[in-house]
Amino acid sequence: DTAVSQTPKYLVTQMGNDKSIKCEQNLGHDTMYWYKQDSKKFLKIMFSYNNKELIINETVPNRFSPKSPDKAHLNLHINSLELGDSAVYFCASSLRRTYEQYFGPGTRLTVT
Amino acid sequence: TQLLEQSPQFLSIQEGENLTVYCNSSSVFSSLQWYRQEPGEGPVLLVTVVTGGEVKKLKRLTFQFGDARKDSSLHITAAQPGDTGLYLCAGAESNYQLIWGAGTKLIIKP
Protein backbone atom coordinates (compact mmCIF):
# COMPACT_ATOMS: atom_id res chain seq x y z
CA ASP A 1 0.00 0.00 0.00
CA THR A 2 1.29 3.45 -0.92
CA ALA A 3 1.61 5.61 2.20
CA VAL A 4 1.68 9.07 0.60
CA SER A 5 0.69 9.36 -3.03
CA GLN A 6 0.78 12.32 -5.38
CA THR A 7 -0.61 12.88 -8.84
CA PRO A 8 0.59 13.62 -11.37
CA LYS A 9 4.24 12.51 -11.22
CA TYR A 10 5.19 14.82 -14.08
CA LEU A 11 3.49 18.02 -15.20
CA VAL A 12 4.59 20.02 -18.23
CA THR A 13 2.63 23.13 -18.99
CA GLN A 14 2.90 26.58 -20.50
CA MET A 15 3.22 29.90 -18.75
CA GLY A 16 -0.09 31.38 -17.70
CA ASN A 17 -1.90 28.08 -17.29
CA ASP A 18 -3.57 26.88 -14.08
CA LYS A 19 -2.76 23.43 -12.70
CA SER A 20 -3.46 21.29 -9.65
CA ILE A 21 -1.50 18.61 -7.81
CA LYS A 22 -3.29 16.12 -5.59
CA CYS A 23 -1.99 14.32 -2.51
CA GLU A 24 -3.42 11.55 -0.37
CA GLN A 25 -2.06 9.75 2.70
CA ASN A 26 -3.31 6.53 4.26
CA LEU A 27 -1.12 6.65 7.37
CA GLY A 28 -3.74 8.14 9.66
CA HIS A 29 -1.61 11.27 10.16
CA ASP A 30 -3.18 14.52 11.29
CA THR A 31 -0.82 16.94 9.53
CA MET A 32 0.03 17.37 5.86
CA TYR A 33 2.56 19.59 4.09
CA TRP A 34 3.55 20.97 0.72
CA TYR A 35 7.25 21.48 0.02
CA LYS A 36 9.07 22.92 -2.98
CA GLN A 37 12.49 21.55 -3.89
CA ASP A 38 14.47 23.67 -6.29
CA SER A 39 17.27 22.69 -8.66
CA LYS A 40 19.80 23.01 -5.84
CA LYS A 41 17.81 20.45 -3.85
CA PHE A 42 16.89 22.86 -1.07
CA LEU A 43 13.62 21.81 0.54
CA LYS A 44 11.34 24.73 1.36
CA ILE A 45 8.10 24.45 3.32
CA MET A 46 5.16 26.13 1.65
CA PHE A 47 2.05 25.14 3.60
CA SER A 48 0.95 22.84 6.37
CA TYR A 49 -2.50 21.72 7.48
CA ASN A 50 -3.40 20.11 10.78
CA ASN A 51 -6.83 18.49 10.86
CA LYS A 52 -7.86 20.59 7.85
CA GLU A 53 -6.70 23.82 9.52
CA LEU A 54 -3.92 25.86 7.90
CA ILE A 55 -1.08 26.13 10.44
CA ILE A 56 1.92 27.06 8.30
CA ASN A 57 1.62 29.55 5.47
CA GLU A 58 5.08 30.62 4.37
CA THR A 59 5.82 33.53 2.07
CA VAL A 60 4.50 32.06 -1.13
CA PRO A 61 2.87 33.93 -4.05
CA ASN A 62 -0.88 33.99 -3.65
CA ARG A 63 -1.08 32.19 -6.98
CA PHE A 64 -0.53 29.08 -4.88
CA SER A 65 -3.61 27.93 -2.99
CA PRO A 66 -3.74 24.78 -0.88
CA LYS A 67 -6.94 23.01 -0.02
CA SER A 68 -7.55 20.21 2.45
CA PRO A 69 -10.98 18.59 2.04
CA ASP A 70 -10.21 16.13 4.84
CA LYS A 71 -7.30 14.93 6.97
CA ALA A 72 -6.15 12.45 4.35
CA HIS A 73 -6.05 14.81 1.39
CA LEU A 74 -4.16 17.99 0.56
CA ASN A 75 -4.26 19.55 -2.87
CA LEU A 76 -2.26 22.39 -4.36
CA HIS A 77 -3.67 24.66 -7.02
CA ILE A 78 -1.40 27.03 -8.92
CA ASN A 79 -2.76 29.89 -11.00
CA SER A 80 -1.01 31.76 -13.81
CA LEU A 81 2.06 29.55 -13.82
CA GLU A 82 5.45 31.23 -14.24
CA LEU A 83 8.82 29.90 -15.37
CA GLY A 84 10.15 30.22 -11.81
CA ASP A 85 7.51 27.79 -10.57
CA SER A 86 9.41 24.95 -12.23
CA ALA A 87 10.54 22.64 -9.44
CA VAL A 88 9.70 19.38 -7.73
CA TYR A 89 6.77 19.66 -5.34
CA PHE A 90 6.54 17.19 -2.48
CA CYS A 91 3.59 16.36 -0.32
CA ALA A 92 4.31 14.97 3.14
CA SER A 93 2.38 13.91 6.20
CA SER A 94 3.16 13.42 9.87
CA LEU A 95 1.70 13.22 13.31
CA ARG A 96 1.90 16.78 14.61
CA ARG A 97 3.47 15.71 17.91
CA THR A 98 6.42 13.90 16.26
CA TYR A 99 7.22 16.07 13.21
CA GLU A 100 8.43 12.90 11.45
CA GLN A 101 7.61 13.45 7.81
CA TYR A 102 6.59 10.82 5.29
CA PHE A 103 7.00 12.11 1.76
CA GLY A 104 5.24 11.37 -1.47
CA PRO A 105 7.19 10.62 -4.65
CA GLY A 106 7.06 14.23 -5.81
CA THR A 107 5.58 16.05 -8.79
CA ARG A 108 8.09 17.46 -11.24
CA LEU A 109 6.55 20.64 -12.63
CA THR A 110 8.07 22.14 -15.76
CA VAL A 111 6.74 25.46 -17.00
CA THR A 112 7.69 26.37 -20.57
CA THR B 1 13.93 31.79 12.30
CA GLN B 2 16.56 29.23 13.14
CA LEU B 3 19.12 28.20 10.55
CA LEU B 4 20.60 24.75 10.09
CA GLU B 5 23.97 24.55 8.38
CA GLN B 6 24.96 21.26 6.86
CA SER B 7 28.49 20.29 5.80
CA PRO B 8 30.00 19.25 3.57
CA GLN B 9 27.66 20.12 0.71
CA PHE B 10 29.19 17.44 -1.48
CA LEU B 11 31.28 14.36 -0.74
CA SER B 12 32.61 11.75 -3.14
CA ILE B 13 34.57 8.85 -1.66
CA GLN B 14 35.59 5.29 -2.44
CA GLU B 15 33.68 2.27 -1.23
CA GLY B 16 34.93 1.12 2.17
CA GLU B 17 35.90 4.56 3.48
CA ASN B 18 34.37 6.23 6.51
CA LEU B 19 32.72 9.65 6.48
CA THR B 20 30.96 12.13 8.72
CA VAL B 21 28.30 14.69 7.84
CA TYR B 22 27.59 17.59 10.17
CA CYS B 23 24.51 19.61 10.94
CA ASN B 24 24.96 22.76 13.04
CA SER B 25 22.80 25.50 14.45
CA SER B 26 23.23 28.33 16.93
CA SER B 27 19.84 27.57 18.41
CA VAL B 28 18.32 24.67 20.29
CA PHE B 29 15.99 22.14 18.69
CA SER B 30 13.53 19.92 20.50
CA SER B 31 14.50 17.08 18.20
CA LEU B 32 16.45 16.50 15.01
CA GLN B 33 15.82 14.17 12.12
CA TRP B 34 17.96 12.76 9.33
CA TYR B 35 16.56 11.84 5.93
CA ARG B 36 18.02 10.27 2.80
CA GLN B 37 16.74 11.15 -0.65
CA GLU B 38 17.50 9.18 -3.78
CA PRO B 39 17.10 10.62 -7.29
CA GLY B 40 13.48 10.88 -8.40
CA GLU B 41 12.10 10.05 -4.97
CA GLY B 42 10.99 11.82 -1.84
CA PRO B 43 13.15 12.01 1.31
CA VAL B 44 12.92 8.99 3.59
CA LEU B 45 13.24 9.33 7.35
CA LEU B 46 16.29 7.53 8.76
CA VAL B 47 16.24 8.52 12.42
CA THR B 48 14.99 11.01 15.00
CA VAL B 49 17.17 12.06 17.94
CA VAL B 50 15.57 13.78 20.88
CA THR B 51 17.83 13.77 23.94
CA GLY B 52 21.05 15.76 24.18
CA GLY B 53 24.02 13.41 23.73
CA GLU B 54 21.83 10.68 22.27
CA VAL B 55 23.47 8.19 19.91
CA LYS B 56 21.48 5.99 17.56
CA LYS B 57 22.79 3.33 15.22
CA LEU B 58 21.24 2.07 12.01
CA LYS B 59 23.52 -0.70 10.70
CA ARG B 60 26.66 1.16 9.53
CA LEU B 61 25.15 4.60 10.19
CA THR B 62 25.68 6.30 13.56
CA PHE B 63 23.71 9.41 14.47
CA GLN B 64 24.57 11.68 17.37
CA PHE B 65 22.70 14.64 18.86
CA GLY B 66 24.89 17.25 20.52
CA ASP B 67 24.71 17.67 24.28
CA ALA B 68 23.20 21.12 23.88
CA ARG B 69 20.79 19.93 21.15
CA LYS B 70 22.22 22.47 18.70
CA ASP B 71 24.10 20.11 16.41
CA SER B 72 24.13 16.59 15.08
CA SER B 73 26.39 14.29 13.10
CA LEU B 74 25.94 11.31 10.85
CA HIS B 75 28.86 8.89 10.60
CA ILE B 76 28.95 6.13 8.01
CA THR B 77 31.39 3.27 8.46
CA ALA B 78 32.68 1.34 5.45
CA ALA B 79 30.51 3.22 2.98
CA GLN B 80 28.78 1.22 0.26
CA PRO B 81 27.51 2.36 -3.17
CA GLY B 82 23.99 1.87 -1.81
CA ASP B 83 24.64 4.73 0.64
CA THR B 84 24.75 7.16 -2.28
CA GLY B 85 22.12 9.87 -1.98
CA LEU B 86 21.24 13.29 -0.63
CA TYR B 87 21.32 13.40 3.17
CA LEU B 88 19.14 16.02 4.82
CA CYS B 89 18.94 17.03 8.45
CA ALA B 90 15.91 18.80 9.88
CA GLY B 91 15.45 20.36 13.30
CA ALA B 92 12.11 20.69 15.03
CA GLU B 93 11.09 24.14 16.24
CA SER B 94 8.56 24.72 18.97
CA ASN B 95 5.91 25.85 16.48
CA TYR B 96 5.70 22.41 14.88
CA GLN B 97 7.78 23.46 11.88
CA LEU B 98 10.91 21.68 10.69
CA ILE B 99 13.97 23.70 9.74
CA TRP B 100 15.83 21.96 6.95
CA GLY B 101 19.53 21.86 6.16
CA ALA B 102 20.61 22.38 2.55
CA GLY B 103 21.70 18.75 2.24
CA THR B 104 24.87 16.75 1.65
CA LYS B 105 25.17 15.01 -1.69
CA LEU B 106 27.07 11.79 -1.08
CA ILE B 107 28.54 9.64 -3.84
CA ILE B 108 30.16 6.31 -3.03
CA LYS B 109 32.30 5.01 -5.87
CA PRO B 110 32.71 1.25 -6.30
Side-chain angles (χ1 to χ4, degrees):
Chain A
D1 283 343
T2 303
V4 182
S5 60
Q6 287 179 236
T7 54
K9 175 75 171 173
Y10 299 96
L11 189 51
V12 181
T13 187
Q14 293 184 329
M15 286 176 56
N17 285 347
D18 303 338
K19 291 294 179 185
S20 292
I21 307 172
K22 295 186 176 182
C23 178
E24 177 180 1
Q25 57 96 3
N26 62 6
L27 296 168
H29 289 162
D30 56 8
T31 305
M32 296 185 73
Y33 310 80
W34 278 113
Y35 286 91
K36 179 181 181 180
Q37 189 172 46
D38 60 25
S39 57
K40 294 184 178 180
K41 303 301 182 184
F42 187 73
L43 207 56
K44 180 182 176 184
I45 182 75
M46 300 173 69
F47 304 103
S48 177
Y49 274 77
N50 174 253
N51 290 322
K52 300 195 299 176
E53 177 187 354
L54 183 64
I55 58 171
I56 296 175
N57 186 4
E58 290 296 296
T59 305
V60 174
N62 57 16
R63 299 181 294 103
F64 290 79
S65 53
K67 190 169 185 179
S68 181
D70 56 59
K71 286 197 305 182
H73 296 85
L74 180 62
N75 303 323
L76 182 65
H77 187 75
I78 315 170
N79 289 324
S80 303
L81 279 154
E82 300 178 357
L83 291 176
D85 297 333
S86 295
V88 180
Y89 292 84
F90 286 102
C91 175
S93 71
S94 76
L95 289 173
R96 188 173 186 178
R97 59 181 171 81
T98 70
Y99 306 88
E100 294 176 342
Q101 319 256 303
Y102 290 77
F103 284 82
T107 296
R108 180 174 292 277
L109 172 64
T110 303
V111 182
T112 61
Chain B
T1 302
Q2 299 185 42
L3 295 175
L4 205 48
E5 295 184 359
Q6 213 172 318
S7 62
Q9 292 183 2
F10 180 79
L11 188 57
S12 178
I13 61 172
Q14 292 294 135
E15 180 177 1
E17 295 183 12
N18 302 331
L19 67 108
T20 303
V21 176
Y22 299 93
C23 189
N24 295 296
S25 172
S26 58
S27 301
V28 177
F29 291 107
S30 58
S31 66
L32 192 137
Q33 299 164 13
W34 285 92
Y35 294 79
R36 179 169 64 208
Q37 184 179 17
E38 299 187 13
E41 300 180 6
V44 175
L45 177 67
L46 296 174
V47 77
T48 300
V49 285
V50 179
T51 307
E54 182 177 5
V55 176
K56 281 191 174 179
K57 292 191 175 183
L58 188 64
K59 297 183 180 178
R60 294 173 293 97
L61 279 60
T62 302
F63 304 85
Q64 185 163 7
F65 203 11
D67 291 341
R69 290 185 288 131
K70 294 182 179 181
D71 54 83
S72 181
S73 63
L74 158 60
H75 183 78
I76 301 179
T77 303
Q80 303 294 311
D83 296 327
T84 292
L86 178 70
Y87 288 81
L88 296 159
C89 62
E93 285 193 312
S94 58
N95 64 352
Y96 302 103
Q97 184 170 348
L98 284 181
I99 302 300
W100 291 84
T104 295
K105 186 173 182 179
L106 176 63
I107 295 176
I108 310 299
K109 295 176 284 187

